[in-house]
Amino acid sequence: MRQKTFRVGVLLHGALGLALWGATIAAVPAAESQSATKIPVPTELPPGELGKFVALGRDIVNNTTTNPLSKPYTGNALNCTSCHLSGGTDLKGLSFLGTAAVYPTYTSREKKVISLEDRSLNCFMRSMNGIRPANGSEVSTAIAAYITWLSEGYPIKMSLKGPHGPNAIPALKLDPAKGSVERGKSLYDGKCAACHGVDGEGVGKFPPVWGAKSYNHGAGLANPVQLATFLKNAMPLGNANLTEQEALDIAVYVDSKPRPKFVLEEHLGKKK
Ligand code: HEC
Ligand code: HEC
């Protein structure tokens, strides 16, 4: 009896499979390339209160250190958009496009399943060297609403590769031991210092890349391979032209410089 049911199941499945075959082959490549060029970046906010809330999240991402809701939780001179370029809408700069479609997901860093909110709040503690806002707080929910708006049209797809949205750029396969701090320094002085300062302190509206006002040792970019991947795709801003070796040399140089230490307990809980 069981076996019979099974056979019927297989037959039905086969017939359905055939019927859907045309649709399936058409759908797979689109889903695989997640082609962001085909999924437009939203421009119109949802109507009403939801739209206002999404706009609040957008403002927090762009003006993290000045928005009164997020300011108390920041600990350096960076805004989310300093790394998630153009408010997370630039595919070359740690974009948020489609990101909401992969959460919740398992992360080996915390060894647990985390939500989209948890992931943003981790950046508050590490990349922003600040304090973790509470899950479900206005600041956290507003950011999640904004990222969800930027993910409209992307199919929900669980990530088996950790907390990386469909447009996350995979880390370059580089060996940090092959980077040279000396070469990195001269490349940095020639290609980066005009905007980020010879001492990494930032110039005017250009953000610092090391020192007390920069990301801490617990941040993703404190890992030279992750930093090199970011630089290769995004820096110099508007004219990303580094070879992989140059990106690695600059990354080991920048990440050899002093920055705030990361002690998890100091970033949990109450506002400063
Ligand atoms: C110093 C740079 C930096 C800053 C500032 C920063 N982040 Fe990040 N963020 C990163 C890096 C690096 C990653 C990891 C990207 C990856 O894993 O592919 C990341 C990942 C994320 C992700 C997960 C993306 C994904 O593809 O799943 C979210 C969400 C996020 N950040 C939100 C924020 C928010 C919100 C802020 C501001 C409160 C912020 N980040 C500030 C560097 C930064
Ligand atoms: C024309 C000016 C300019 C140049 C040149 C430039 N950057 Fe940037 N960089 C920026 C701006 C502006 C941002 C922040 C993006 C924003 O706020 O829109 C940024 C962001 C960054 C960030 C992430 C935020 C932070 O401060 O940690 C890093 C790291 C970085 N740049 C490193 C470099 C390196 C290394 C080079 C040289 C290869 C370089 N940049 C060249 C303007 C520049």
Side-chain angles (χ1 to χ4, degrees):
M1 182 64 200
R2 275 195 93 156
Q3 209 170 0
K4 218 175 185 179
T5 321
F6 176 63
R7 287 224 181 100
V8 171
V10 168
L11 271 174
L12 259 180
H13 188 80
L16 257 179
L18 265 180
L20 291 175
W21 191 63
T24 313
I25 44 168
V28 166
E32 265 175 9
S33 66
Q34 278 293 10
S35 70
T37 43
K38 285 184 203 142
I39 300 176
V41 180
T43 48
E44 246 178 77
L45 292 169
E49 289 304 315
L50 180 60
K52 281 189 213 156
F53 203 64
V54 169
L56 172 64
R58 180 171 60 190
D59 191 67
I60 290 171
V61 164
N62 286 316
N63 304 301
T64 327
T65 51
T66 49
N67 184 295
L69 278 181
S70 50
K71 186 176 185 221
Y73 299 103
T74 61
N76 60 25
L78 303 181
N79 300 300
C80 310
T81 192
S82 303
C83 299
H84 300 281
L85 300 179
S86 303
T89 65
D90 181 342
L91 285 169
K92 294 291 181 189
L94 302 173
S95 100
F96 290 146
L97 298 170
T99 297
V102 305
Y103 287 86
T105 196
Y106 178 81
T107 166
S108 53
R109 187 161 66 183
E110 280 86 32
K111 297 196 174 40
K112 63 178 188 182
V113 173
I114 60 166
S115 67
L116 176 59
E117 283 191 51
D118 291 324
R119 184 62 193 84
S120 292
L121 303 181
N122 282 344
C123 269
F124 266 101
M125 297 194 290
R126 296 161 182 269
S127 293
M128 306 286 299
N129 192 37
I131 301 294
R132 190 185 208 277
N135 262 308
S137 61
E138 201 175 8
V139 61
S140 177
T141 319
I143 293 171
Y146 172 61
I147 296 177
T148 301
W149 177 62
L150 289 182
S151 305
E152 271 195 295
Y154 284 85
I156 297 281
K157 179 110 181 57
M158 298 217 104
S159 167
L160 303 179
K161 296 186 195 146
H164 309 290
N167 288 307
I169 299 175
L172 294 172
K173 296 207 165 40
L174 295 170
D175 175 2
K178 298 209 171 107
S180 151
V181 171
E182 292 71 37
R183 281 196 307 263
K185 179 185 171 16
S186 85
L187 285 163
Y188 177 90
D189 288 347
K191 288 172 178 275
C192 321
C195 291
H196 292 293
V198 223
D199 283 320
E201 72 280 20
V203 178
K205 66 182 167 68
F206 301 120
V209 289
W210 68 79
K213 297 274 177 195
S214 181
Y215 55 86
N216 66 35
H217 279 294
L221 294 191
N223 170 339
V225 174
Q226 257 184 283
L227 177 56
T229 305
F230 172 77
L231 298 178
K232 175 84 181 77
N233 289 288
M235 291 293 143
L237 191 71
N239 179 31
N241 61 10
L242 304 174
T243 64
E244 288 192 11
Q245 185 62 48
E246 287 173 332
L248 181 63
D249 291 340
I250 298 174
V252 295
Y253 172 63
V254 168
D255 278 344
S256 74
K257 292 293 190 177
R259 57 183 67 259
K261 290 200 168 43
F262 179 68
V263 181
L264 179 65
E265 294 68 37
E266 292 172 5
H267 299 272
L268 297 169
K270 57 185 188 337
K271 291 183 197 180
K272 289 183 300 168

